[in-house]
Amino acid sequence: MSFDALAPHYRWMEWILAGNKLQRCRVRFLDRIQSAERILILGEGNGRFLLQCRRVNPEASITCIDASARMLAAARKRLQKNGVPVESIDFIAADALIWKPTKTYDAIVTHFFLDCFRPDQLEEIIATLSSAATPDADWLVADFQAPQEGWQRQRARLILWSMYAFFRFATRLPARRLTAPDDFLKRNGFRLQERFAAEWGLLHSDWWTRRAAGTTIA
């Protein structure tokens, strides 16, 4: 799987297809990690979330993992263009199924990333990332979902089918369908604190945490 071919076009493609909706989902719970000291971001793409994350938390050490070197170059360029320093940010081009963390993180971010993988791969990735999460770590997730019923579900299923068909052709995406990561996150000690749905239930933003305090909704 590689998004290298799409890297030069991804920004305008996202804008035409979704406007600013995906970005609003990415930053929905950004304030929950504004005091994090070590942040791990996977599948960052061209750096739209990373830019806001660095602005909100200028002191954090950030590790940014993406399989596409071109996407990482675009992310670095975006920060530099906006006058945001890239010091304390490690840009690592690596396959998430192969990469192994060498330090711990108190915040993990996987926006529009976990939907790329088959259930067996997703289970492995979440277990690996969880092993590097501190006991009080937060995990932010923004992604697609299919509502439970009604015309919203039919609409979402059509959109998701089209997306998977395109990305499997363009990037050799492993997944054929969407797999919710909730059960895997729960097995690794994370609890859902808040969930925000948008676009008639097609999009969602989550704040998960390992902290004992707080009211869970799942």
Side-chain angles (χ1 to χ4, degrees), residues 1 4 18 24 28 35 43 54 57 70 84 105 137 147 159 172 179 188 194-195 197 206:
M1 178 180 68
D4 274 347
R24 287 198 292 269
R28 177 74 184 189
S35 61
R54 174 49 87 205
N57 193 334
R70 289 185 179 181
V84 176
Y105 301 91
I159 292 173
R172 292 178 293 178
T179 300
N188 286 278
E194 291 187 59
R195 170 166 289 169
D206 291 359

PDB file of all heavy atoms in Angstrom, residues 1 4 18 24 28 35 43 54 57 70 84 105 137 147 159 172 179 188 194-195 197 206:
ATOM      1  N   MET A   1       0.840  -1.196   0.000  1.00  0.00           N
ATOM      2  CA  MET A   1       0.000   0.000   0.000  1.00  0.00           C
ATOM      3  C   MET A   1       0.872   1.241   0.000  1.00  0.00           C
ATOM      4  O   MET A   1       1.782   1.369   0.821  1.00  0.00           O
ATOM      5  CB  MET A   1      -0.911   0.028   1.236  1.00  0.00           C
ATOM      6  CG  MET A   1      -1.786   1.284   1.335  1.00  0.00           C
ATOM      7  SD  MET A   1      -2.843   1.299   2.793  1.00  0.00           S
ATOM      8  CE  MET A   1      -1.624   1.482   4.109  1.00  0.00           C
ATOM      9  N   ASP A   4       1.940   7.383  -2.485  1.00  0.00           N
ATOM     10  CA  ASP A   4       2.894   8.246  -3.173  1.00  0.00           C
ATOM     11  C   ASP A   4       2.291   8.871  -4.429  1.00  0.00           C
ATOM     12  O   ASP A   4       2.466  10.063  -4.688  1.00  0.00           O
ATOM     13  CB  ASP A   4       4.160   7.465  -3.545  1.00  0.00           C
ATOM     14  CG  ASP A   4       5.173   7.435  -2.408  1.00  0.00           C
ATOM     15  OD1 ASP A   4       5.017   8.206  -1.444  1.00  0.00           O
ATOM     16  OD2 ASP A   4       6.130   6.642  -2.487  1.00  0.00           O
ATOM     17  N   ALA A  18     -14.925  16.482  -0.075  1.00  0.00           N
ATOM     18  CA  ALA A  18     -15.414  16.618   1.300  1.00  0.00           C
ATOM     19  C   ALA A  18     -15.286  18.016   1.874  1.00  0.00           C
ATOM     20  O   ALA A  18     -15.665  18.236   3.032  1.00  0.00           O
ATOM     21  CB  ALA A  18     -14.688  15.617   2.216  1.00  0.00           C
ATOM     22  N   ARG A  24     -12.289  19.039  10.057  1.00  0.00           N
ATOM     23  CA  ARG A  24     -13.038  19.326  11.288  1.00  0.00           C
ATOM     24  C   ARG A  24     -13.096  18.091  12.183  1.00  0.00           C
ATOM     25  O   ARG A  24     -13.048  18.219  13.412  1.00  0.00           O
ATOM     26  CB  ARG A  24     -14.441  19.817  10.951  1.00  0.00           C
ATOM     27  CG  ARG A  24     -14.488  21.238  10.396  1.00  0.00           C
ATOM     28  CD  ARG A  24     -15.880  21.834  10.494  1.00  0.00           C
ATOM     29  NE  ARG A  24     -16.824  21.164   9.610  1.00  0.00           N
ATOM     30  CZ  ARG A  24     -17.089  21.539   8.366  1.00  0.00           C
ATOM     31  NH1 ARG A  24     -16.469  22.591   7.841  1.00  0.00           N
ATOM     32  NH2 ARG A  24     -17.975  20.891   7.633  1.00  0.00           N
ATOM     33  N   ARG A  28     -11.329  17.808  16.056  1.00  0.00           N
ATOM     34  CA  ARG A  28     -12.454  17.895  16.997  1.00  0.00           C
ATOM     35  C   ARG A  28     -12.008  17.759  18.448  1.00  0.00           C
ATOM     36  O   ARG A  28     -12.447  18.515  19.329  1.00  0.00           O
ATOM     37  CB  ARG A  28     -13.477  16.800  16.673  1.00  0.00           C
ATOM     38  CG  ARG A  28     -14.662  16.732  17.616  1.00  0.00           C
ATOM     39  CD  ARG A  28     -15.621  17.857  17.386  1.00  0.00           C
ATOM     40  NE  ARG A  28     -16.715  17.854  18.342  1.00  0.00           N
ATOM     41  CZ  ARG A  28     -17.776  18.634  18.263  1.00  0.00           C
ATOM     42  NH1 ARG A  28     -17.898  19.468  17.260  1.00  0.00           N
ATOM     43  NH2 ARG A  28     -18.721  18.592  19.174  1.00  0.00           N
ATOM     44  N   SER A  35      -1.669  18.873  26.301  1.00  0.00           N
ATOM     45  CA  SER A  35      -0.603  18.812  27.301  1.00  0.00           C
ATOM     46  C   SER A  35       0.263  17.562  27.157  1.00  0.00           C
ATOM     47  O   SER A  35       1.125  17.309  28.010  1.00  0.00           O
ATOM     48  CB  SER A  35      -1.208  18.858  28.714  1.00  0.00           C
ATOM     49  OG  SER A  35      -2.070  17.745  28.928  1.00  0.00           O
ATOM     50  N   GLY A  43      -0.246   7.663   9.646  1.00  0.00           N
ATOM     51  CA  GLY A  43      -1.044   7.960   8.471  1.00  0.00           C
ATOM     52  C   GLY A  43      -1.402   9.431   8.381  1.00  0.00           C
ATOM     53  O   GLY A  43      -2.503   9.782   7.971  1.00  0.00           O
ATOM     54  N   ARG A  54       0.893  20.912  16.151  1.00  0.00           N
ATOM     55  CA  ARG A  54       2.098  21.615  16.580  1.00  0.00           C
ATOM     56  C   ARG A  54       1.773  23.010  17.114  1.00  0.00           C
ATOM     57  O   ARG A  54       2.383  23.476  18.080  1.00  0.00           O
ATOM     58  CB  ARG A  54       3.079  21.695  15.411  1.00  0.00           C
ATOM     59  CG  ARG A  54       4.330  22.535  15.681  1.00  0.00           C
ATOM     60  CD  ARG A  54       4.985  22.164  17.007  1.00  0.00           C
ATOM     61  NE  ARG A  54       5.917  21.074  16.902  1.00  0.00           N
ATOM     62  CZ  ARG A  54       6.249  20.276  17.911  1.00  0.00           C
ATOM     63  NH1 ARG A  54       5.682  20.427  19.095  1.00  0.00           N
ATOM     64  NH2 ARG A  54       7.120  19.306  17.751  1.00  0.00           N
ATOM     65  N   ASN A  57       0.262  22.409  20.601  1.00  0.00           N
ATOM     66  CA  ASN A  57       1.231  21.853  21.538  1.00  0.00           C
ATOM     67  C   ASN A  57       2.640  22.037  20.981  1.00  0.00           C
ATOM     68  O   ASN A  57       3.215  21.119  20.396  1.00  0.00           O
ATOM     69  CB  ASN A  57       0.932  20.372  21.776  1.00  0.00           C
ATOM     70  CG  ASN A  57       1.693  19.813  22.961  1.00  0.00           C
ATOM     71  OD1 ASN A  57       2.752  20.325  23.317  1.00  0.00           O
ATOM     72  ND2 ASN A  57       1.161  18.775  23.581  1.00  0.00           N
ATOM     73  N   ARG A  70       6.441  10.737   0.034  1.00  0.00           N
ATOM     74  CA  ARG A  70       5.968  11.971  -0.588  1.00  0.00           C
ATOM     75  C   ARG A  70       4.965  12.698   0.303  1.00  0.00           C
ATOM     76  O   ARG A  70       4.957  13.930   0.366  1.00  0.00           O
ATOM     77  CB  ARG A  70       5.344  11.673  -1.943  1.00  0.00           C
ATOM     78  CG  ARG A  70       6.350  11.279  -3.011  1.00  0.00           C
ATOM     79  CD  ARG A  70       5.674  11.128  -4.365  1.00  0.00           C
ATOM     80  NE  ARG A  70       6.635  10.777  -5.404  1.00  0.00           N
ATOM     81  CZ  ARG A  70       6.321  10.594  -6.676  1.00  0.00           C
ATOM     82  NH1 ARG A  70       5.048  10.731  -7.072  1.00  0.00           N
ATOM     83  NH2 ARG A  70       7.239  10.284  -7.565  1.00  0.00           N
ATOM     84  N   VAL A  84       6.040  27.177  10.932  1.00  0.00           N
ATOM     85  CA  VAL A  84       5.993  26.322  12.118  1.00  0.00           C
ATOM     86  C   VAL A  84       7.233  25.432  12.126  1.00  0.00           C
ATOM     87  O   VAL A  84       7.482  24.697  11.161  1.00  0.00           O
ATOM     88  CB  VAL A  84       4.724  25.444  12.127  1.00  0.00           C
ATOM     89  CG1 VAL A  84       4.727  24.500  13.315  1.00  0.00           C
ATOM     90  CG2 VAL A  84       3.491  26.332  12.156  1.00  0.00           C
ATOM     91  N   TYR A 105       4.495   6.661  24.371  1.00  0.00           N
ATOM     92  CA  TYR A 105       3.782   7.878  23.996  1.00  0.00           C
ATOM     93  C   TYR A 105       2.572   8.054  24.905  1.00  0.00           C
ATOM     94  O   TYR A 105       1.902   7.083  25.263  1.00  0.00           O
ATOM     95  CB  TYR A 105       3.324   7.793  22.544  1.00  0.00           C
ATOM     96  CG  TYR A 105       4.460   7.597  21.566  1.00  0.00           C
ATOM     97  CD1 TYR A 105       4.875   6.320  21.202  1.00  0.00           C
ATOM     98  CD2 TYR A 105       5.124   8.697  21.019  1.00  0.00           C
ATOM     99  CE1 TYR A 105       5.929   6.136  20.316  1.00  0.00           C
ATOM    100  CE2 TYR A 105       6.176   8.519  20.122  1.00  0.00           C
ATOM    101  CZ  TYR A 105       6.571   7.236  19.785  1.00  0.00           C
ATOM    102  OH  TYR A 105       7.617   7.054  18.910  1.00  0.00           O
ATOM    103  N   ALA A 137      -2.497   7.074  28.609  1.00  0.00           N
ATOM    104  CA  ALA A 137      -2.447   7.627  27.254  1.00  0.00           C
ATOM    105  C   ALA A 137      -3.838   7.937  26.703  1.00  0.00           C
ATOM    106  O   ALA A 137      -4.828   7.292  27.052  1.00  0.00           O
ATOM    107  CB  ALA A 137      -1.737   6.653  26.322  1.00  0.00           C
ATOM    108  N   PRO A 147     -23.805   4.205   9.469  1.00  0.00           N
ATOM    109  CA  PRO A 147     -24.894   4.270  10.448  1.00  0.00           C
ATOM    110  C   PRO A 147     -25.660   2.949  10.517  1.00  0.00           C
ATOM    111  O   PRO A 147     -25.579   2.118   9.599  1.00  0.00           O
ATOM    112  CB  PRO A 147     -25.773   5.400   9.912  1.00  0.00           C
ATOM    113  CG  PRO A 147     -24.862   6.230   9.076  1.00  0.00           C
ATOM    114  CD  PRO A 147     -23.889   5.262   8.458  1.00  0.00           C
ATOM    115  N   ILE A 159     -21.141   5.172  -0.570  1.00  0.00           N
ATOM    116  CA  ILE A 159     -19.928   5.984  -0.558  1.00  0.00           C
ATOM    117  C   ILE A 159     -18.715   5.139  -0.183  1.00  0.00           C
ATOM    118  O   ILE A 159     -17.650   5.232  -0.822  1.00  0.00           O
ATOM    119  CB  ILE A 159     -20.094   7.161   0.426  1.00  0.00           C
ATOM    120  CG1 ILE A 159     -21.138   8.144  -0.107  1.00  0.00           C
ATOM    121  CG2 ILE A 159     -18.761   7.878   0.651  1.00  0.00           C
ATOM    122  CD1 ILE A 159     -21.495   9.243   0.867  1.00  0.00           C
ATOM    123  N   ARG A 172      -3.429   0.065  -3.812  1.00  0.00           N
ATOM    124  CA  ARG A 172      -3.341  -1.345  -3.376  1.00  0.00           C
ATOM    125  C   ARG A 172      -3.705  -1.471  -1.893  1.00  0.00           C
ATOM    126  O   ARG A 172      -3.045  -2.171  -1.116  1.00  0.00           O
ATOM    127  CB  ARG A 172      -1.953  -1.923  -3.647  1.00  0.00           C
ATOM    128  CG  ARG A 172      -1.641  -2.077  -5.118  1.00  0.00           C
ATOM    129  CD  ARG A 172      -0.252  -2.596  -5.341  1.00  0.00           C
ATOM    130  NE  ARG A 172       0.760  -1.623  -4.929  1.00  0.00           N
ATOM    131  CZ  ARG A 172       2.065  -1.849  -4.976  1.00  0.00           C
ATOM    132  NH1 ARG A 172       2.525  -3.014  -5.396  1.00  0.00           N
ATOM    133  NH2 ARG A 172       2.912  -0.925  -4.588  1.00  0.00           N
ATOM    134  N   THR A 179     -13.677  -1.850   8.911  1.00  0.00           N
ATOM    135  CA  THR A 179     -13.720  -2.572  10.177  1.00  0.00           C
ATOM    136  C   THR A 179     -13.579  -1.581  11.318  1.00  0.00           C
ATOM    137  O   THR A 179     -12.596  -0.833  11.385  1.00  0.00           O
ATOM    138  CB  THR A 179     -12.582  -3.608  10.273  1.00  0.00           C
ATOM    139  OG1 THR A 179     -12.701  -4.550   9.207  1.00  0.00           O
ATOM    140  CG2 THR A 179     -12.636  -4.339  11.615  1.00  0.00           C
ATOM    141  N   ASN A 188      -7.266  -3.556  24.541  1.00  0.00           N
ATOM    142  CA  ASN A 188      -5.959  -3.048  24.929  1.00  0.00           C
ATOM    143  C   ASN A 188      -6.048  -1.946  25.985  1.00  0.00           C
ATOM    144  O   ASN A 188      -5.105  -1.180  26.162  1.00  0.00           O
ATOM    145  CB  ASN A 188      -5.220  -2.543  23.688  1.00  0.00           C
ATOM    146  CG  ASN A 188      -4.707  -3.679  22.825  1.00  0.00           C
ATOM    147  OD1 ASN A 188      -3.654  -4.255  23.101  1.00  0.00           O
ATOM    148  ND2 ASN A 188      -5.446  -4.028  21.779  1.00  0.00           N
ATOM    149  N   GLU A 194     -15.584  10.227  24.396  1.00  0.00           N
ATOM    150  CA  GLU A 194     -16.494  11.069  23.619  1.00  0.00           C
ATOM    151  C   GLU A 194     -16.470  10.626  22.158  1.00  0.00           C
ATOM    152  O   GLU A 194     -15.418  10.253  21.638  1.00  0.00           O
ATOM    153  CB  GLU A 194     -16.094  12.544  23.697  1.00  0.00           C
ATOM    154  CG  GLU A 194     -16.287  13.179  25.053  1.00  0.00           C
ATOM    155  CD  GLU A 194     -16.038  14.678  25.003  1.00  0.00           C
ATOM    156  OE1 GLU A 194     -16.745  15.384  24.231  1.00  0.00           O
ATOM    157  OE2 GLU A 194     -15.133  15.141  25.709  1.00  0.00           O
ATOM    158  N   ARG A 195     -17.624  10.709  21.524  1.00  0.00           N
ATOM    159  CA  ARG A 195     -17.723  10.425  20.080  1.00  0.00           C
ATOM    160  C   ARG A 195     -18.611  11.487  19.445  1.00  0.00           C
ATOM    161  O   ARG A 195     -19.707  11.781  19.931  1.00  0.00           O
ATOM    162  CB  ARG A 195     -18.286   9.037  19.828  1.00  0.00           C
ATOM    163  CG  ARG A 195     -18.651   8.779  18.350  1.00  0.00           C
ATOM    164  CD  ARG A 195     -18.877   7.302  18.087  1.00  0.00           C
ATOM    165  NE  ARG A 195     -17.616   6.564  18.136  1.00  0.00           N
ATOM    166  CZ  ARG A 195     -17.537   5.234  18.155  1.00  0.00           C
ATOM    167  NH1 ARG A 195     -18.649   4.508  18.172  1.00  0.00           N
ATOM    168  NH2 ARG A 195     -16.350   4.641  18.179  1.00  0.00           N
ATOM    169  N   ALA A 197     -20.368  12.548  15.744  1.00  0.00           N
ATOM    170  CA  ALA A 197     -20.718  12.077  14.407  1.00  0.00           C
ATOM    171  C   ALA A 197     -21.072  13.268  13.523  1.00  0.00           C
ATOM    172  O   ALA A 197     -21.640  14.262  13.984  1.00  0.00           O
ATOM    173  CB  ALA A 197     -21.891  11.102  14.470  1.00  0.00           C
ATOM    174  N   ASP A 206     -13.392  10.404  17.635  1.00  0.00           N
ATOM    175  CA  ASP A 206     -13.396   9.749  18.945  1.00  0.00           C
ATOM    176  C   ASP A 206     -12.260  10.247  19.818  1.00  0.00           C
ATOM    177  O   ASP A 206     -11.154  10.521  19.329  1.00  0.00           O
ATOM    178  CB  ASP A 206     -13.206   8.230  18.803  1.00  0.00           C
ATOM    179  CG  ASP A 206     -14.386   7.535  18.163  1.00  0.00           C
ATOM    180  OD1 ASP A 206     -15.378   8.205  17.843  1.00  0.00           O
ATOM    181  OD2 ASP A 206     -14.288   6.306  17.968  1.00  0.00           O
TER     182      ASP A 206
END
